Amino acid sequence: MYRPARAVIDTAAFVSNYRHAKSLAANSRAVAVIKANGYGHGAVRLARALQMEADAFGVACIEEALELRESGIQNPILLLEGIFGPDELELVDKLDFGMTIHNRRQLEWIENARPARPFNVWLKLDSGMHRLGFSSEDFAQAFARLKACPHVEDIVLMSHFARADETGEDATLTQLERFKQASANLQKPVSLANSSAILHWPQTHGDWVRPGIMLYGATPLDRPGEESTALKPVMQLQSEIIAVRELGPGEAVGYGARFVCDKPTRIGVVAMGYADGYPRHARDGTPVAVDDKKTRLIGRVSMDMLTVDLSDIPDAAPGSQVELWGDHIAANEVASHSDTIAYQLFTGITRRVPLLYR
Ligand SMILES: *Cc1c(COP(=O)(O)O)cnc(C)c1O
């Protein structure tokens, strides 16, 4: 490895965060959501680290499920959006994937299949997010059809929250109420809670929780409390200072001269840019750590580099270690300075950045 940009992945922190999720939802089983290559952290490596204790893994699609099975992962795997066409059912059967059913088309494909062993399906209600799922009116009928299907064995009833991250907003309770009404007589295990709901809405936990972002050490809550402090960052996005500049008042740094010095300023150039996945929209003042000391981004982020203020870190020099997010700088802080969320930062890390496991 030559260029110093790298993402160091702490699989022990991932395991610890999973245990924390399980401790918050002590009576639930947990689907560890590792879609999108484990939110950019490397799904196979994370699955290996957790395979002894994961109740199941959750992925977005069969391509992601195949990668896990082909790497020897034997835990149950759930396709969170189910299948996109009937031709997937052969692999679902052969490799024993669970699948969400959120519409009538998927239901028909399943009814018409003749698998070697029964399917495990997660029937999804649209309880208010209005993205995927059966309406309250159609839910019971879809359930009855699945029950009548000789090759459907386990059924889990599921839904997904739109606003569980908003701790002062009761939309989650409204969705919970709708779900309870629609599923009242169906007598099956239920699954509702994403990370936000695991952290903040214990009444939603049910039989299966589905932690995602919290496993990577970022809290999704708008006002994080106690329950979030135990989360450990899994990714350390790091690089090094590769050049230092002394600028005088009135001089500017970078494209568009976005930052103009108002006093003598020492600037460090870091080998990390938007082509690595660092957000181009990060504003001046976005926190960055150099040699474990907190400072700020100044000037526009370029494709391969960004610039930071070293005025208060006189010992920093080419070769100094830089953390873009990790133990010193929360990904959430960088996200809020870039008008985005930690989810997008993590999944946006590009293949130019090597993932190193420790
Ligand atoms: C991605 C996803 C999750 C995990 O959500 P987080 O907010 O990352 O915890 C849970 N359930 C479903 C259906 C998902 O698609």
Side-chain angles (χ1 to χ4, degrees):
M1 193 185 66
Y2 302 100
R3 185 170 178 260
R6 61 202 180 256
V8 179
I9 307 298
D10 181 355
T11 56
F14 180 75
V15 172
S16 158
N17 294 334
Y18 181 79
R19 289 179 185 158
H20 183 55
K22 294 266 299 193
S23 74
L24 291 173
N27 299 315
S28 312
R29 283 183 283 174
V31 182
V33 179
I34 54 171
K35 62 192 179 191
N37 196 29
Y39 289 42
H41 295 64
V44 169
R45 296 295 293 258
L46 296 181
R48 285 202 182 122
L50 199 61
Q51 61 185 341
M52 298 306 290
E53 52 195 287
D55 300 319
F57 291 112
V59 295
C61 54
I62 205 162
E63 288 85 348
E64 294 178 346
L66 285 174
E67 187 192 18
L68 295 176
R69 277 284 182 271
E70 281 162 7
S71 308
I73 300 299
Q74 293 179 358
N75 309 58
I77 298 177
L78 172 63
L79 309 175
L80 291 164
E81 286 153 46
I83 52 170
F84 297 82
D87 50 339
E88 291 177 47
L89 285 171
E90 203 179 309
L91 280 174
V92 166
D93 182 25
K94 191 164 139 219
L95 297 175
D96 197 18
F97 299 141
M99 59 189 151
T100 297
I101 301 185
H102 61 78
N103 67 17
R104 204 161 294 170
R105 248 159 50 106
Q106 291 176 327
L107 183 55
E108 280 161 16
W109 294 334
I110 284 168
E111 285 176 327
N112 294 331
R114 293 292 171 266
R117 53 185 159 184
F119 290 132
N120 165 234
V121 302
W122 293 49
L123 181 63
K124 188 161 188 171
L125 173 75
D126 177 5
S127 60
M129 182 159 181
H130 301 325
R131 195 178 57 178
L132 297 183
F134 289 91
S135 66
S136 298
E137 297 77 55
D138 296 342
F139 191 64
Q141 198 216 353
F143 178 80
R145 280 171 63 174
L146 285 175
K147 272 209 94 172
C149 208
H151 51 276
V152 170
E153 194 169 70
D154 301 328
I155 305 176
V156 176
L157 307 174
M158 77 183 291
S159 193
H160 194 58
F161 294 125
R163 304 183 68 179
D165 54 317
E166 298 173 67
T167 52
E169 173 54 54
D170 59 14
T172 298
L173 300 177
T174 308
Q175 283 194 253
L176 176 63
E177 213 34 61
R178 270 195 215 132
F179 179 82
K180 280 186 172 164
Q181 276 169 22
S183 61
N185 303 314
L186 306 185
Q187 312 277 329
K188 289 287 176 190
V190 305
S191 175
L192 300 166
N194 56 4
S195 298
S196 305
I198 293 166
L199 291 164
H200 190 71
W201 306 94
Q203 60 275 62
T204 66
H205 288 172
D207 301 282
W208 283 93
V209 293
R210 306 189 306 266
I213 193 71
M214 69 182 292
L215 301 180
Y216 307 94
T219 178
L221 298 179
D222 58 358
R223 272 181 237 100
E226 281 282 280
E227 67 303 309
S228 294
T229 49
L231 297 174
K232 298 179 184 154
V234 175
M235 182 189 295
Q236 311 282 326
L237 184 63
Q238 301 171 339
S239 190
E240 289 178 9
I241 301 282
I242 59 169
V244 173
R245 290 276 174 288
E246 311 271 354
L247 299 186
E251 290 189 289
V253 59
Y255 286 118
R258 183 176 76 179
F259 183 86
V260 183
C261 304
D262 60 359
K263 55 179 194 296
T265 303
R266 213 159 156 262
I267 286 182
V269 180
V270 181
M272 176 69 64
Y274 62 77
D276 300 298
Y278 192 88
R280 182 173 173 278
H281 293 97
R283 291 189 285 272
D284 292 335
T286 303
V288 179
V290 178
D291 287 339
D292 299 340
K293 294 177 200 76
K294 206 163 168 175
T295 180
R296 57 181 183 142
L297 174 91
I298 50 180
R300 247 187 225 162
V301 174
S302 15
M303 186 180 290
D304 314 310
M305 285 171 273
L306 56 78
T307 40
V308 298
D309 186 356
L310 297 181
S311 302
D312 296 330
I313 313 178
D315 294 341
S320 287
Q321 296 301 305
V322 177
E323 178 193 301
L324 290 313
W325 59 70
D327 286 336
H328 300 82
I329 310 288
N332 276 332
E333 278 187 82
V334 178
S336 67
H337 282 82
S338 319
D339 298 319
T340 187
I341 50 178
Y343 298 73
Q344 193 185 21
L345 297 184
F346 293 152
T347 58
I349 293 298
T350 67
R351 58 183 214 135
R352 189 165 78 181
V353 179
L355 302 176
L356 308 178
Y357 294 86
R358 76 170 184 222

